[in-house]
């Protein structure tokens, strides 16, 4: 009888390493923010879809919340409309909101659903307007400056924040063995549609579902120190220190704050993952080393 090859032994080792994690996470819900390079690179797209399908097959319930800023920007450019940003947020008038709904709720959402279904999964697309999933309110942005007698209120138009989440339709899909794919568009009590940051929506959905994990795919390795080295694990108190010291800053701040809010509201842990790494989800969930930065309450 021939001995197994080195490759076969490695595969067996990987499966045995994954076993306790599969047992631990079976029946748990994971909320995943999908964006960045993972969303535009064809190889990473297919890897992401297969990761979700494998998670579902071993008894984990993935829920996807996606962005789509670059796709919105490209269509606005084709329409001859200039994108304007304030503090990293797109100023969204009524015409731009129509484009946002068309791109996020139509084009991007359906592409992700099709990608998952083509790989053998069963996904259903939603916007926050379906089943009254995301109740939004207009985001009020203030600008403070020494020359101002009072803070200036900046009107971003149809940019919103989450007022409440009703996950009834999401739970129905999970029980039906589907993978929900959510576009971050909400509706306000005023009847208007609002564009909401996808990280914030993912965090709030994770909170309401009391998810086991919130997984934020980014275009960085995770949270880095001043020397560029990765923090593999942080608690909320240490994160507060790093923010105060200016180590965590810029575009990473909203993601970290979203993760902190989630773990302080009952989510077991949050993870900021490098979406440029193929199969980042599986590596983080089912290996001893994991990837990216894990955030815990304490």
């Amino acid at each position: 009888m021939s001995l197994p090859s080195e490759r076969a032994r490695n595969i067996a080792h990987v499966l045995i390493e994954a076993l306790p994690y599969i047992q631990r996470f079976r029946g748990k819900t994971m909320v995943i923010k999908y964006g960045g390079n993972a969303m535009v690179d064809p190889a990473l797209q297919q890897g992401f879809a297969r990761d979700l399908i494998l998670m579902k097959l071993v008894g984990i319930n993935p829920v996807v919340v996606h962005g789509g800023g670059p796709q919105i920007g490209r269509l606005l450019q084709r329409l001859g409309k200039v994108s304007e940003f304030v503090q990293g947020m797109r100023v969204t008038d009524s015409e731009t909101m129509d484009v946002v709904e068309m791109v996020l709720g139509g084009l991007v959402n359906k592409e992700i659903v099709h990608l998952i279904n083509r790989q053998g999964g069963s996904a259903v697309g939603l916007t926050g307007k379906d089943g009254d999933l995301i109740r939004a309110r207009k985001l009020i942005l203030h600008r403070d400056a020494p020359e101002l007698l009072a803070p200036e209120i900046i009107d971003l138009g149809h940019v919103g924040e989450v007022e409440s989440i009703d996950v009834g339709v999401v739970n129905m899909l999970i029980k039906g063995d589907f993978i929900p794919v959510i576009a971050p568009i909400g509706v306000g009590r005023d009847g208007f549609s609002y564009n909401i940051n996808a990280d914030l929506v993912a965090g709030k959905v994770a909170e309401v579902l009391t998810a086991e994990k919130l997984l934020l795919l980014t275009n960085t390795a995770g949270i880095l120190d001043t020397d560029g080295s990765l923090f593999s694990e942080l608690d909320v108190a240490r994160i507060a220190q790093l923010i105060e010291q200016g180590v965590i800053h810029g575009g990473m701040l909203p993601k970290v704050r979203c993760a902190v809010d989630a773990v302080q509201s009952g989510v077991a842990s949050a993870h900021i993952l490098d979406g440029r790494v193929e199969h980042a989800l599986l590596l983080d969930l089912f290996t001893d080393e994991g990837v990216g930065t894990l955030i815990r309450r304490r």
Side-chain angles (χ1 to χ4, degrees):
M1 184 176 67
S2 62
L3 293 174
S5 67
E6 183 68 23
R7 179 174 178 273
R9 287 195 295 270
N10 287 339
I11 291 172
H13 175 76
V14 168
L15 292 173
I16 292 301
E17 184 178 325
L19 179 59
Y21 296 105
I22 293 172
Q23 292 171 322
R24 176 182 168 189
F25 297 139
R26 184 170 180 80
K28 304 292 187 181
T29 297
M30 312 283 184
V31 177
I32 301 139
K33 156 50 191 331
Y34 181 46
N37 280 32
M39 205 169 168
V40 295
D41 180 285
L44 294 174
Q45 287 175 344
Q46 292 201 14
F48 174 77
R50 289 170 179 164
D51 288 0
L52 294 176
I53 293 164
L54 180 58
M55 290 167 66
K56 195 70 176 173
L57 286 173
V58 299
I60 296 170
N61 299 314
V63 176
V64 179
V65 178
H66 66 83
Q71 294 92 329
I72 294 168
R74 285 196 294 270
L75 183 53
L76 287 171
Q77 187 176 32
R78 283 169 53 192
L79 295 172
K81 193 168 181 65
V82 177
S83 293
E84 181 185 352
F85 292 87
V86 176
Q87 297 183 19
M89 290 173 283
R90 188 189 304 275
V91 178
T92 306
D93 59 17
S94 295
E95 188 178 48
T96 300
M97 190 64 219
D98 289 342
V99 173
V100 168
E101 288 207 67
M102 182 170 61
V103 173
L104 291 184
L107 179 65
V108 175
N109 189 271
K110 302 315 172 193
E111 282 181 351
I112 297 168
V113 168
H114 177 60
L115 175 70
I116 296 167
N117 292 345
R118 195 173 68 233
Q119 296 295 327
S122 296
V124 173
L126 303 165
T127 74
K129 298 172 77 171
D130 294 312
D132 209 22
L133 171 59
I134 303 173
R135 177 72 69 176
R137 58 174 170 255
K138 186 181 178 69
L139 178 65
I140 304 299
L141 192 65
H142 295 89
R143 185 174 73 89
D144 294 301
E147 66 272 14
L148 298 175
L149 295 176
E152 178 185 5
I153 297 175
I154 301 171
D155 188 357
L156 297 173
H158 292 262
V159 175
E161 57 185 346
V162 175
E163 181 174 271
S164 63
I165 300 278
D166 182 347
V167 290
V169 67
V170 175
N171 282 323
M172 181 181 69
L173 291 172
I174 290 172
K175 289 176 183 175
D177 218 23
F178 291 99
I179 299 172
V181 179
I182 302 169
I185 298 166
V187 63
R189 297 182 186 278
D190 54 13
F192 291 117
S193 298
Y194 289 95
N195 182 20
I196 310 174
N197 178 281
D199 291 326
L200 297 180
V201 170
K204 293 298 182 184
V205 169
E207 289 176 25
V208 177
L209 288 172
T210 319
E212 178 72 14
K213 292 181 183 289
L214 168 65
L215 302 149
L216 303 172
L217 292 174
T218 69
N219 283 342
T220 65
I223 301 175
L224 307 177
D225 65 16
T226 52
D227 297 322
S229 298
L230 178 70
F231 288 106
S232 59
E233 185 172 335
L234 292 168
D235 63 24
V236 170
R238 179 66 176 134
I239 285 173
Q241 292 174 353
L242 293 172
I243 291 174
E244 187 176 346
Q245 294 164 2
V247 177
I248 299 174
H249 63 279
M252 184 57 72
L253 266 175
K255 293 183 184 299
V256 169
R257 285 175 173 149
C258 159
V260 167
D261 287 346
V263 298
Q264 289 183 319
S265 300
V267 178
S269 62
H271 304 245
I272 296 178
L273 305 180
D274 192 342
R276 302 167 300 179
V277 175
E278 194 168 9
H279 300 299
L281 291 176
L282 298 188
L283 290 170
D284 191 68
L285 289 173
F286 299 136
T287 68
D288 294 337
E289 293 182 15
V291 294
T293 302
L294 181 152
I295 298 172
R296 296 187 187 277
R297 192 175 305 118
R298 63 175 71 88

